[in-house]
Amino acid sequence: MTTNLSGEELQKEVTPYPLYANRRRFMKGLGAAGTLAASAATYRWFNPVRNMELNTASIDNLASVELTREQRLERGFLVDETMTSESNIISYNNFYEFSTDKNAVADAAKNFDTTGWQVRVEGMVHKPRTFTIPDLKAVGPIEERIYRMRCVEAWSMVVPWAGLQLSHLIDAVEPMAEAKYVAFETLYDPARMPGQKTSVLEWPYVEGLRLDEAMHPLTLLAVGLYGKELPAQDGAPIRLVTPWKYGFKGIKSIVKITLVSEEPPTSWKRFASTEYGFLANVNPNVPHPRWSQATEQRIGENGRRKTLMFNGYESQVASLYEGLDLSVHF
Amino acid sequence: MNNIAYYRNLVILAGIGPLLMLGWDAWNDQLGANGVNNALHITGILSLVFLFFSLVITPLKVLTGWSSIIAYRRALGLYGFAYAALHFVIYVALDRMGSVSSTIEEIVSRRFLLVGFIALAMMLPLAVTSTNAMIRKLGPVRWKLLHRLAYAATILGVVHYYMLVKSDVRQPLAFAAVLTPILGFRSVKHYFDLRREASKPKSRETATPKKSRTFWNGELVVANIHRETPDVKTFRFVHPDGEIPFIHRPGQYMSLTLNIDGQIVKRSYTIASSPAQRGHVELTIKRNPEGVVSRYMHDQLKVGDKIRIGAPAGKFFFDDHQSKAVVLIAGGVGITPLMSMLRNLTDHSWHGTIYFINAMRSR
């Protein structure tokens, strides 16, 4: 249908100029807002906010230790510093088996299933044995140990671990006289640990301690933190904790422990022996070739702390390294 | 909304987005467990991303012919610099706790820090010389030469990132993989430009310009700028040696070669003055809010500026003195060739009849 409009009527049909101009302004504003939103959304896509909660089962049989607070402090079983928040501990992890992005490990590991986990302890021992996690928990008391954790990347935490003193396990398998070192191995299963499909490190991850270090009372096989079972990103179901050494010594998701007579290979030393040593003791005086180890960023704190010799465990462990040049044996 | 200035503002907004988000996350303490480190990582990556965007502009322009894209390059490059500067400020203020001595000590003893610092230092003169005034001051040749540093700075930025990571070098390598074809494209193009330059005959500039109808190439100086209407200006050009060294036919145009933001652009404008005027030529140009050149002419060009000109050219002209009458019809700024014709005809006291019909906007 066509209508014949007079000139005046036609004039009325035309959008009035101010309205027309307003529409243009509106469209422009929309474009600007859209651009800003898209750029902010892109940022958020790459930098998601992660609020983590630890919802693993609680460890109800935490051993009540007969030591006084002073005795625990003296032995290094307890450190009188603010504990790093649960959320930070479980959201900032170096666990290359899942991701090389420390902030992304928790998410990448969230479906990691540890049901039926077994740890084989063998090598130069009289009683080699395969342990389930309940078996391991029965070997000795599961204690709470509040340790400093110093990463080789110059950041640190204070973590309330729950675990078994490694010496109890080694005693249980009865080491032979020739055993001088303990070698540890992480699970190798690229289907469950997607990071193992990449070649950022040689898999599986391996670590090692001298037998005297392994027998030291500070050395812990942790099965939990904050009174709950370890979440996957922190090395479930069982991991090593050596608080006077850099964090990478704390091998996670252990499936094999072998007592040996020679120094075993360790992952980071194998990757770059000039940057990472076998002992890897925390030492503010020996810088990493690419960064200083004199100070550290304590997670959750502003500013930097001075890094302590042996991460503050000098009185407990210094005797292990008497006569060693620590700038050579780093 | 097909408006370059508007789109440039969108680019500027897009660059602010991440900064606002970073500020928001820092303010709300949600930058993750190691906020300082995360902020360093984010600003470093942002710097590289914007530097990459700025470097990919020229290849894109050459490959697609999308020439207005060049208008966004400066903002992108400046964002690359700004995020690198922020990266450095965060490092000094929050990682080194504001200690200058510790910053210097770390930079000189850590190679990857030194590399990153050099990259930032290289970008500083580029940022300083990014203004139109500085581009004019340096001149196109020196400016272009200086701004090649952008490539060096970006390469060093990627190297800095590569040297920093512990073992997972996939991300820095991905940056390198994108950078390589950009650099390759630019070097190949540069090589062909040089070859073409070498095969050209020597410039005629040294020869004394002959006043003739033949095409002339050289520099004219802006002698006067006159505002005709709010968005129309007339630009008068003279030759430093006196007379205009070419003679145009009324209606013909001349082409201008300009350096705008380091980019060479060419435009042709009809000469509005009469060829009988031997002392100057005039262009009457309407400012087009989308036009790179007309905006430059209106907003930046000053009396005394030199402009490279090639003239005359064009087949639309009228100087037929034998005709009895001429009908000239124009609309808006399209009057310019007719201005030249009318002026020429009246300069020669033409005997014929001129019918001149002109349409123009009243609002």
Side-chain angles (χ1 to χ4, degrees):
Chain A
M1 190 186 93
T2 44
T3 31
N4 288 319
L5 298 171
S6 70
E8 213 166 288
E9 281 168 323
L10 259 174
Q11 281 272 307
K12 280 183 200 155
E13 290 291 296
V14 175
T15 312
Y17 184 75
L19 250 179
Y20 167 77
N22 259 338
R23 191 183 147 277
R24 271 179 77 91
R25 254 172 65 189
F26 175 73
M27 295 299 282
K28 281 193 167 187
L30 208 64
T35 303
L36 196 58
S39 121
T42 310
Y43 171 95
R44 184 53 82 226
W45 172 263
F46 285 105
N47 307 288
V49 175
R50 298 185 173 90
N51 267 322
M52 303 293 302
E53 243 178 78
L54 184 55
N55 41 27
T56 51
S58 63
I59 302 175
D60 33 50
N61 55 344
L62 258 185
S64 54
V65 190
E66 294 115 60
L67 300 171
T68 64
R69 183 183 153 79
E70 279 63 39
Q71 286 170 317
R72 295 182 72 211
L73 278 170
E74 197 194 320
R75 290 170 199 214
F77 293 176
L78 172 68
V79 57
D80 206 2
E81 288 166 19
T82 311
M83 289 191 288
T84 305
S85 75
E86 195 177 281
S87 157
N88 279 343
I89 293 173
I90 64 173
S91 64
Y92 196 66
N93 314 91
N94 266 320
F95 202 171
Y96 283 17
E97 279 80 348
F98 291 104
S99 169
T100 56
D101 176 357
K102 288 184 276 295
N103 297 300
V105 170
D107 200 43
K110 66 172 184 254
N111 295 321
F112 186 62
D113 183 11
T114 60
T115 331
W117 196 272
Q118 293 187 330
V119 183
R120 176 74 188 160
V121 186
E122 58 181 28
M124 296 176 161
V125 296
H126 292 292
K127 290 182 174 174
R129 198 185 141 186
T130 301
F131 293 84
T132 63
I133 298 301
D135 291 343
L136 280 167
K137 285 179 178 170
V139 169
I142 302 297
E143 303 171 41
E144 182 168 81
R145 299 277 180 93
I146 301 176
Y147 286 163
R148 294 186 199 89
M149 211 291 300
R150 170 63 158 78
C151 179
V152 75
E153 297 165 341
W155 54 267
S156 65
M157 294 182 175
V158 174
V159 185
W161 299 106
L164 168 76
Q165 203 170 292
L166 178 61
S167 63
H168 297 322
L169 178 67
I170 293 175
D171 285 341
V173 292
E174 295 174 18
M176 297 174 180
E178 306 84 59
K180 293 284 178 285
Y181 292 90
V182 184
F184 303 85
E185 195 176 304
T186 296
L187 171 72
Y188 178 71
D189 187 349
R192 291 158 75 194
M193 293 181 149
Q196 291 176 336
K197 291 175 193 158
T198 71
S199 51
V200 291
L201 281 176
E202 200 179 308
W203 310 111
Y205 195 87
V206 287
E207 257 306 337
L209 294 172
R210 289 185 345 208
L211 187 59
D212 57 345
E213 294 174 323
M215 294 302 287
H216 194 279
L218 281 174
T219 305
L220 196 72
L221 278 177
V223 293
L225 56 86
Y226 267 105
K228 290 175 236 176
E229 281 174 8
L230 277 183
Q233 62 269 34
D234 287 282
I238 188 160
R239 64 166 293 168
L240 182 67
V241 179
T242 44
W244 72 95
K245 292 175 180 287
Y246 290 121
F248 67 83
K249 293 299 283 185
I251 182 170
K252 301 184 175 95
S253 306
I254 300 168
V255 290
K256 196 158 96 181
I257 300 173
T258 314
L259 278 82
V260 291
S261 59
E262 303 287 326
E263 181 188 297
T266 57
S267 283
W268 280 100
K269 186 180 176 186
R270 195 163 55 187
F271 178 77
S273 60
T274 53
E275 302 193 353
Y276 312 98
F278 177 78
L279 291 179
N281 292 322
V282 176
N283 188 341
N285 310 314
V286 178
H288 184 279
R290 287 179 287 145
W291 56 84
S292 162
Q293 296 290 24
T295 62
E296 65 201 45
Q297 171 77 52
R298 175 66 55 84
I299 299 303
E301 275 183 7
N302 292 322
R304 294 180 78 86
R305 284 173 171 259
K306 279 201 158 38
T307 291
L308 306 170
M309 189 63 204
F310 294 115
N311 204 21
Y313 299 95
E314 193 168 10
S315 62
Q316 291 88 8
V317 301
S319 59
L320 293 172
Y321 309 103
E322 251 162 42
L324 266 188
D325 181 350
L326 293 176
S327 62
V328 178
H329 301 273
F330 53 84
Chain B
M1 274 195 282
N2 221 345
N3 179 332
I4 287 173
Y6 173 66
Y7 286 124
R8 182 160 40 198
N9 287 338
L10 291 191
V11 170
I12 291 168
L13 269 179
I16 288 174
L19 181 67
L20 294 178
M21 292 297 281
L22 185 66
W24 172 262
D25 281 354
W27 179 258
N28 289 295
D29 199 19
Q30 53 186 29
L31 270 175
N34 198 346
V36 173
N37 224 316
N38 205 16
L40 282 173
H41 178 75
I42 290 169
T43 47
I45 296 288
L46 280 169
S47 169
L48 283 181
V49 166
F50 279 103
L51 287 173
F52 272 61
F53 281 150
S54 75
L55 293 188
V56 87
I57 290 272
T58 305
L60 260 186
K61 192 194 103 174
V62 173
L63 291 175
T64 65
W66 178 19
S67 59
S68 63
I69 191 179
I70 205 77
Y72 316 127
R73 190 174 63 173
R74 169 164 43 187
L76 293 169
L78 281 173
Y79 271 126
F81 168 74
Y83 279 113
L86 182 60
H87 180 73
F88 180 68
V89 166
I90 293 172
Y91 175 73
V92 175
L94 300 174
D95 191 283
R96 293 292 106 205
M97 298 315 294
S99 158
V100 176
S101 61
S102 137
T103 304
I104 293 171
E105 200 187 306
E106 282 292 293
I107 287 177
V108 293
S109 54
R110 318 281 161 217
R111 222 177 308 162
F112 87 99
L113 288 175
L114 191 61
V115 169
F117 184 75
I118 292 171
L120 178 65
M122 276 179 164
M123 282 189 268
L124 189 65
L126 306 192
V128 170
T129 58
S130 67
T131 61
N132 289 337
M134 284 306 289
I135 295 168
R136 261 201 310 276
K137 209 165 171 185
L138 280 175
V141 177
R142 268 180 296 171
W143 190 89
K144 268 192 129 166
L145 207 62
L146 176 67
H147 280 246
R148 294 234 174 91
L149 274 178
Y151 294 98
T154 310
I155 294 170
L156 289 183
V158 174
V159 171
H160 165 71
Y161 186 23
Y162 179 86
M163 290 170 82
L164 155 81
V165 296
K166 255 197 330 187
S167 81
D168 187 358
V169 292
R170 286 172 297 172
Q171 210 164 16
L173 284 183
F175 273 108
V178 180
L179 188 58
T180 309
I182 298 176
L183 291 173
F185 178 87
R186 289 295 275 163
S187 355
V188 168
K189 184 176 176 292
H190 185 63
Y191 170 73
F192 281 110
D193 286 353
L194 285 179
R195 270 185 60 161
R196 202 172 49 227
E197 200 62 39
S199 64
K200 258 196 209 161
K202 275 275 168 215
S203 160
R204 280 175 274 170
E205 242 183 313
T206 43
T208 36
K210 272 190 286 179
K211 286 177 275 171
S212 69
R213 292 215 189 277
T214 55
F215 191 77
W216 175 84
N217 230 321
E219 279 187 337
L220 293 183
V221 181
V222 180
N224 185 31
I225 301 174
H226 176 70
R227 174 177 283 248
E228 308 278 3
T229 76
D231 61 353
V232 175
K233 279 183 179 175
T234 292
F235 301 86
R236 176 172 291 187
F237 295 89
V238 296
H239 190 263
D241 300 340
E243 273 192 25
I244 293 297
F246 60 87
I247 302 174
H248 71 279
R249 303 174 89 170
Q252 280 191 309
Y253 59 83
M254 62 187 199
S255 75
L256 281 64
T257 307
L258 297 152
N259 181 313
I260 301 179
D261 296 355
Q263 202 54 40
I264 305 300
V265 282
K266 281 188 167 187
R267 285 292 183 284
S268 297
Y269 289 106
T270 304
I271 301 167
S273 57
S274 159
Q277 293 291 343
R278 296 310 314 142
H280 65 255
V281 284
E282 286 181 348
L283 300 180
T284 296
I285 300 174
K286 179 178 174 181
R287 187 180 187 278
N288 176 356
E290 301 160 24
V292 174
V293 174
S294 73
R295 282 194 301 124
Y296 174 81
M297 299 283 290
H298 270 256
D299 305 344
Q300 313 277 349
L301 200 66
K302 299 188 312 308
V303 169
D305 284 356
K306 284 181 182 171
I307 291 193
R308 176 152 289 278
I309 296 229
K315 292 195 175 101
F316 177 69
F317 52 79
F318 178 81
D319 54 2
D320 181 357
H321 298 274
Q322 267 68 57
S323 304
K324 284 201 174 100
V326 63
V327 181
L328 305 172
I329 307 174
V333 79
I335 196 175
T336 51
L338 309 195
M339 279 161 69
S340 184
M341 293 171 194
L342 288 166
R343 284 165 168 166
N344 183 49
L345 294 174
T346 49
D347 281 347
H348 287 99
S349 310
W350 194 49
H351 57 81
T353 314
I354 302 170
Y355 298 95
F356 175 55
I357 302 165
N358 187 32
M360 50 182 73
R361 205 167 54 163
S362 58
R363 178 159 22 199

